[in-house]
Amino acid sequence: MTTLISATPPASAPDAPRSPGHLVAWLSNPRNALLAAVLILTAGVGLDALSDPDVWWHIQLGDWIIAHHQIPAGELFAYTAFGNPLVAHEWLSETLFAALAAVGGLLLVTVLMGLIAWSAMGATLLRGRLRGAGPVVLAVGLALGARTAEPVLGTRPQVFTFALVCWTLWIAESYLRSGGRRLWLLPPLFLLWANLHAGFIAGIALLVIVVVTEAVKRRWSIGTVASRQRITQLGVAVGASALAACVNPYGPGLFIFAATTGGAERQKGIIEWQSPNFGDPTMWVLLALLLTFAALTVTVLARPALRRHFDLRDFVLAAVGAGLALTSVRNTAICVAVMIPPWMAMAAAVLRSLETRRASKRPATRPGHAAPAMGVALIALGVLGVGAIGARVAQSATPQGIATAYPACATAVLARSPTTQRVFTAYGTGGYVIYRLWPRASVYEYGESISLGTAVFDNYVRIAAGAVTTPTALQLLTSSDTTAVLYSKGALTDELGATPGWTQVVDDHGVLLYLRGDASWALGATCAGAATG
């Protein structure tokens, strides 16, 4: 039987307070207060100043764009690939990062990206509410989604993709349900998105899936269907959005870049491009999401009375999201965006079914309400929790906090060099060295590994491991004319210590700085106490 989508909001969706009297009544319901507290707490999930070391070179590249009023066409920061073609698909994010950092340092960039991630939680809440989930299920779903996405959030441009996927799906789903003009927000949104991050292609792909599945549902009368006019209009908006996304420095070619990058990067063994390792505790929440979603799906499909709460569109989007997350860790956020709202819908349906069964076995009672003070206390706990997270993040963004995570002292020593340095350093540290020293120093390999290519990355791995078979680590350092090595104690530094011509200059809380050739300008430097500033 076909059901037409109604514009009437679900009865189970909680109404927001609209007056002091409504506010008191709203706070008197502990479920509402719980939802408010969880929503507030999710603001802290995306607040992380130092989790993504790429933020440093993003800021430096943004500074270059602002200073030169153009987007670079070739690699700037790596001496192993200088001048290689560069697709700066995040140029607008990087410009924004640089502008904010110039005003408020790393902390201001962190706050912005935290707010962007929080907006994704808000869009997820709206989509769950649209599907009829009550405050407790919304709160649990938000907490699960936030914890699942947390490992891939932080000060990184891909957070824009997470948020914009969530808002794009809210626009599409709410339009299919109730119509309106919001649909035409999609083309300008994709115009912006295509210049912020190449993940816009995920948004286009998900919208295409929505349109196709809605058309299939209508053609074969599957479940709740939208009107033909709305499906058609959504298809037109998706086409207009794809055209708008072509307005970027690389035109339609950016679609090809976005579609092919993942496969190339997965070959390099970079963790975030690999399948999740469920032996890692940080991935257990993702596993919990996948398993509970599967369990809810089986439960809903097994009960005829609940089947209307599972939509074909949900199944297809969830399958795509799970496939993406199982292919690459960095896609975890997209998985959250597509899975959590239907998870909320199904969990709410199952919970209502259980409550109905229990109610039939006991006398009816009126739902109780707690004092508003309990609601205020719950919300206060949420605020205090976010405040504690914010204080920790603010401390980590100080020079002292940064020095505990990066070799700030050793880079300060390199800054004294009378000549330009070519520095081999850890993949994650490369961005910081670029930020602190470029153009007085360049690096062997860093986070923009796409433009550097597979050969450079493979050689980087051999050097980092201190390879003793041909080509050895020392041979690769010599052939690349590397003049400095900034690396943690291990096989590589042991080899350098035993090789004439290399001089250890400082030990920056376990990260050693070696110089090749004349090191007289750096002798006498010390990093004692560097970690504490």
Side-chain angles (χ1 to χ4, degrees):
M1 178 178 178
T2 302
T3 304
L4 290 176
I5 290 178
S6 168
T8 304
S12 61
D15 291 328
R18 293 184 292 272
S19 69
H22 282 92
L23 178 62
V24 171
W26 192 84
L27 287 173
S28 297
N29 186 335
R31 297 184 176 189
N32 291 336
L34 173 66
L35 173 57
V38 170
L39 178 61
I40 292 170
L41 277 172
T42 60
V45 173
L47 286 174
D48 195 332
L50 302 178
S51 65
D52 186 11
D54 289 348
V55 65
W56 302 109
W57 67 262
H58 284 310
I59 293 173
Q60 185 62 268
L61 188 57
D63 282 336
W64 191 95
I65 293 171
I66 292 172
H68 292 81
H69 301 97
Q70 61 179 306
I71 299 169
E75 172 56 44
L76 298 173
F77 304 139
Y79 58 88
T80 50
F82 183 78
N84 276 10
L86 172 67
V87 179
H89 66 97
E90 301 161 318
W91 74 270
L92 186 55
S93 295
E94 290 156 346
T95 303
L96 184 59
F97 280 17
L100 291 173
V103 174
L106 178 61
L107 181 59
L108 189 55
V109 181
T110 302
V111 170
L112 170 70
M113 299 317 293
L115 290 173
I116 296 297
W118 193 30
S119 83
M121 294 294 103
T124 302
L125 170 63
L126 291 176
R127 289 169 61 210
R129 189 176 187 271
L130 193 69
R131 304 290 297 277
V136 173
V137 171
L138 289 172
V140 174
L142 278 180
L144 177 60
R147 289 293 296 168
T148 304
E150 186 175 20
V152 294
L153 300 181
T155 49
R156 52 198 322 185
Q158 71 188 59
V159 174
F160 284 113
T161 284
F162 174 43
L164 292 174
V165 163
C166 291
W167 284 109
T168 292
L169 291 175
W170 174 78
I171 290 171
E173 292 171 4
S174 60
Y175 173 77
L176 288 170
R177 180 177 291 267
S178 58
R181 298 180 180 178
R182 66 176 68 89
L183 177 67
W184 302 109
L185 292 172
L186 289 176
L189 183 148
F190 275 91
L191 172 62
L192 176 67
W193 192 350
N195 291 281
L196 287 168
H197 188 256
F200 76 92
I201 194 172
I204 295 290
L206 293 173
L207 285 178
V208 169
I209 290 171
V210 170
V211 172
V212 172
T213 54
E214 289 299 325
V216 168
K217 285 165 55 184
R218 183 167 185 84
R219 172 64 180 81
W220 281 280
S221 301
I222 302 173
T224 303
V225 301
S227 70
R228 179 178 289 104
Q229 180 184 11
R230 289 179 187 171
I231 297 171
T232 301
Q233 288 293 319
L234 179 57
V236 171
V238 174
S241 298
L243 290 175
C246 293
V247 183
N248 66 77
Y250 310 99
L254 191 59
F255 279 84
I256 299 174
F257 171 85
T260 58
T261 295
E265 290 301 281
R266 277 191 290 275
Q267 295 177 8
K268 297 179 181 178
I270 301 171
I271 292 177
E272 71 169 350
W273 286 99
Q274 305 305 304
S275 297
N277 172 18
F278 291 118
D280 180 354
T282 61
M283 291 290 102
W284 290 352
V285 187
L286 171 60
L287 182 60
L289 171 59
L290 297 175
L291 292 177
T292 55
F293 191 95
L296 286 170
T297 301
V298 171
T299 302
V300 167
L301 292 179
R303 299 183 181 181
L306 298 180
R307 287 176 189 168
R308 63 187 178 87
H309 295 284
F310 188 80
D311 193 286
L312 176 64
R313 181 183 70 223
D314 293 338
F315 177 80
V316 176
L317 288 176
V320 170
L324 288 172
L326 292 173
T327 300
S328 175
V329 169
R330 67 183 283 122
N331 292 328
T332 300
I334 294 177
C335 178
V336 167
V338 299
M339 271 194 167
I340 289 296
W343 186 99
M344 291 172 169
M346 291 190 294
V350 171
L351 184 61
R352 282 194 293 268
S353 176
L354 293 175
E355 288 177 345
T356 300
R357 288 186 178 185
R358 286 199 299 267
S360 66
K361 297 179 181 179
R362 64 171 183 263
T365 57
R366 297 181 61 184
H369 288 276
M374 178 179 292
V376 172
L378 282 171
I379 293 173
L381 286 174
V383 172
L384 289 173
V386 171
I389 294 171
R392 188 190 72 237
V393 169
Q395 173 58 36
S396 69
T398 64
Q400 293 78 15
I402 294 169
T404 64
Y406 294 95
C409 174
T411 52
V413 172
L414 280 170
R416 294 161 40 186
S417 172
T419 59
T420 301
Q421 292 290 327
R422 296 158 68 94
V423 185
F424 177 89
T425 190
Y427 183 84
T429 307
Y432 181 74
V433 172
I434 291 166
Y435 175 77
R436 286 289 304 272
L437 301 176
W438 191 84
R440 295 293 299 164
S442 54
V443 298
Y444 193 104
E445 169 76 24
Y446 71 108
E448 182 56 278
S449 63
I450 299 170
S451 65
L452 275 59
T454 303
V456 170
F457 187 83
D458 290 345
N459 288 339
Y460 159 80
V461 171
R462 290 189 64 80
I463 297 172
V468 294
T469 57
T470 305
T472 68
L474 294 177
Q475 287 172 339
L476 290 170
L477 289 173
T478 300
S479 64
S480 61
D481 195 24
T482 297
T483 60
V485 172
L486 182 62
Y487 209 78
S488 300
K489 293 178 181 178
L492 174 60
T493 57
D494 288 345
E495 286 188 51
L496 294 175
T499 303
W502 286 93
T503 304
Q504 181 184 331
V505 177
V506 292
D507 180 342
D508 190 348
H509 55 284
V511 180
L512 307 185
L513 173 60
Y514 276 85
L515 298 175
R516 191 176 72 171
D518 180 17
S520 59
W521 55 269
L523 296 179
T526 178
C527 285
T532 58

